Amino acid sequence: MLAAVDHVQLAAPPGSEDLLRAYYVGVLGMTEIPKPPVLAARGGCWFRAGAVELHLGIEEGFTPARKAHPGLRVTGIRAYADRLEAHGARVLWDEGLPGRRRFYSYDPVGNRLEFLV
């Protein structure tokens, strides 16, 4: 029986770790968590905010998915969108989910992220 989502893995191109750190820590406000040494040798980085954990793994020939994305619940969605925009991130509001308020944005390597309440 499934109990919870442990983490979401996203892909990123080789050498993008500094861009990812700047975005996931500096823009989204997450904390970088250490990867186990055996996995750290592969590159990439892991981030956490509360119970949300995102793993960014390095993928040769990386192309960001056009539709696939994690849906991340936030509090104070308007203020959070303002925070992203203040850091230069594009915010795309979407009214297509009845009863929910949400927007999409993209990390610096093109991964699509959904933020919603």
Side-chain angles (χ1 to χ4, degrees), residues 23 30 33 50 63 73 76 81 88 96 98 115-117:
Y23 179 79
M30 300 182 84
I33 56 175
T63 301
R73 286 191 187 177
F115 300 91
L116 68 159
V117 292

Side-chain angles (χ1 to χ4, degrees), residues 11-24:
S16 63
E17 289 89 349
D18 287 343
L19 284 173
L20 298 170
R21 287 181 180 102
Y23 179 79
Y24 285 92

Side-chain angles (χ1 to χ4, degrees), residues 80-96:
Y80 201 70
D82 290 346
R83 173 190 174 112
L84 270 65
E85 288 179 320
H87 284 89
R90 188 170 166 210
V91 169
L92 304 164
W93 289 96
D94 182 89
E95 304 298 326

Side-chain angles (χ1 to χ4, degrees), residues 3-87:
V5 173
D6 183 77
H7 67 276
V8 172
Q9 170 97 13
L10 299 172
S16 63
E17 289 89 349
D18 287 343
L19 284 173
L20 298 170
R21 287 181 180 102
Y23 179 79
Y24 285 92
V25 174
V27 178
L28 297 189
M30 300 182 84
T31 300
E32 184 171 4
I33 56 175
K35 292 178 69 173
V38 68
L39 298 178
R42 299 178 187 172
C45 26
W46 293 1
F47 304 97
R48 179 182 296 140
V52 175
E53 197 166 305
L54 298 176
H55 295 181
L56 280 290
I58 299 304
E59 181 178 304
E60 293 293 332
F62 168 77
T63 301
R66 292 177 42 170
K67 190 156 180 95
H69 62 274
L72 305 169
R73 286 191 187 177
V74 297
T75 58
I77 193 165
R78 179 75 249 175
Y80 201 70
D82 290 346
R83 173 190 174 112
L84 270 65
E85 288 179 320
H87 284 89

